[in-house]
Amino acid sequence: YRITGKTIALTSEVLGEVVRRFAFKKLECFRDLHVYVRDRENLGRMIDERFTYFDAREARKIAGL
């Protein structure tokens, strides 16, 4: 994407699936990709579903929720 000048357009559902697959680096993955989510209104729900309680608090802080 950087080479073509295009930006990534993720849904919160797709980001949730990506985060699920990175079991030990969920927050790092989330930190890098949350800015590309186009349906941010669903981001809070995805965080609650995919993160533990303490990680969800950190993910919400990262996303500014």
Side-chain angles (χ1 to χ4, degrees):
Y1 281 96
R2 288 182 183 160
I3 294 170
T4 63
K6 296 180 180 180
T7 58
I8 301 170
L10 297 174
T11 63
S12 58
E13 182 179 342
V14 171
L15 179 57
E17 186 61 27
V18 171
V19 165
R20 184 185 67 77
R21 292 174 185 239
F22 285 90
F24 296 107
K25 296 195 177 251
K26 283 184 178 185
L27 285 173
E28 290 86 353
C29 178
F30 183 79
R31 185 175 287 115
D32 292 341
L33 296 176
H34 80 90
V35 295
Y36 300 109
V37 172
R38 65 176 182 231
D39 64 336
R40 294 191 65 81
E41 66 275 4
N42 297 321
L43 200 54
R45 182 176 50 81
M46 184 279 294
I47 290 170
D48 292 340
E49 292 173 356
R50 298 291 183 186
F51 289 90
T52 64
Y53 175 76
F54 293 106
D55 285 347
R57 288 176 47 192
E58 183 64 23
R60 286 181 173 280
K61 189 184 304 182
I62 291 168
L65 300 178

